């Protein structure tokens, strides 16, 4: 049941903190990249794994590519959802798609959404990251060999 929920988008709430804004009163652009990371880690956590355990098993997942498109700014104290989904997956690579959406208080909670069209609120930023699985020596490693339970879970999520 969990895997069918996770095949769509996981939304994690975040309220904009004052420290994340710049002199113009809007969120400084690099914060969105941090929020993409929060979305990825919370998506994996919602599936029953956490990055700490993955890394303790000897698997690392560095970013090898990222893109980000800014449509509208977020501002101090805005209620946002970091919406994240797995967009591509192989035994060696993993890609995430992300959206930052401004929402009202009623939608400001963790949730799963099957379709992008069903995501609440106003889309502010879109983007994504691509990753490669490596071992502690930074050599490429196959997830199905290094952590088969996580490989099987992700395969179920994207099916």
């Amino acid at each position: 049941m969990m895997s069918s929920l996770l095949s769509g988008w996981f939304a994690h709430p975040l309220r904009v903190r004052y420290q994340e804004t710049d002199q113009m009163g809007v969120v400084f652009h690099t914060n969105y990249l941090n929020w993409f990371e929060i979305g990825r880690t919370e998506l994996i956590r919602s599936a029953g794994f956490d990055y700490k355990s993955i890394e303790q098993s000897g698997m690392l997942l560095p970013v090898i590519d990222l893109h980000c498109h800014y449509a509208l700014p977020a501002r101090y104290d805005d209620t946002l959802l970091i919406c994240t989904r797995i967009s591509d997956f192989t035994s060696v690579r993993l890609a995430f798609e992300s959206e930052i959406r401004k929402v009202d208080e009623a939608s400001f909670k963790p949730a799963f959404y099957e379709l992008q069209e069903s995501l609440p609120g106003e889309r502010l930023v879109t983007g994504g990251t691509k990753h490669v699985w490596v071992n502690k020596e930074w050599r490429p490693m196959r997830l199905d060999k290094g952590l088969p339970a996580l490989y099987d879970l992700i395969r179920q999520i994207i099916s």
Side-chain angles (χ1 to χ4, degrees), residues 26-153:
V26 301
V27 169
F28 187 66
H29 66 278
T30 59
N31 285 299
Y32 295 100
L33 305 179
N34 291 328
W35 296 348
F36 287 0
E37 179 183 353
I38 291 169
R40 293 190 306 267
T41 58
E42 294 304 323
L43 170 65
I44 297 297
R45 185 183 319 278
S46 72
F49 276 84
D50 61 77
Y51 270 78
K52 184 177 181 180
S53 299
I54 293 168
E55 290 180 355
Q56 287 173 342
S57 78
M59 303 288 298
L60 304 172
L61 190 61
V63 174
I64 59 169
D65 187 37
L66 70 89
H67 68 277
C68 189
H69 175 75
Y70 304 96
L72 294 167
R75 300 179 184 279
Y76 170 66
D77 210 36
D78 282 351
T79 50
L80 307 177
L81 288 180
I82 305 167
C83 302
T84 309
R85 75 178 190 96
I86 294 173
S87 59
D88 194 28
F89 169 69
T90 70
S91 61
V92 180
R93 296 183 185 265
L94 184 59
F96 296 91
E97 186 176 351
S98 301
E99 290 193 8
I100 307 299
R101 301 183 72 93
K102 183 178 175 181
V103 297
D104 58 21
E105 290 287 338
S107 298
F108 187 62
K109 59 186 174 226
F112 293 98
Y113 297 92
E114 193 164 326
L115 302 173
Q116 184 177 25
E117 296 79 25
S118 64
L119 294 173
E122 180 177 29
R123 183 173 43 216
L124 305 180
V125 173
T126 59
T129 56
K130 294 179 181 176
H131 307 258
V132 63
W133 293 104
V134 298
N135 62 22
K136 291 186 178 183
E137 289 77 40
W138 286 80
R139 297 193 188 273
M141 189 166 178
R142 293 178 58 100
L143 182 61
D144 57 339
K145 305 292 184 207
L147 200 52
L150 180 57
Y151 176 81
D152 291 340
L153 177 66

Side-chain angles (χ1 to χ4, degrees), residues 11-26:
H12 180 76
L14 181 129
R15 186 179 300 271
V16 177
R17 297 167 293 222
Y18 185 78
Q19 69 188 24
E20 294 167 321
T21 62
D22 61 19
Q23 186 176 359
M24 296 177 287
V26 301

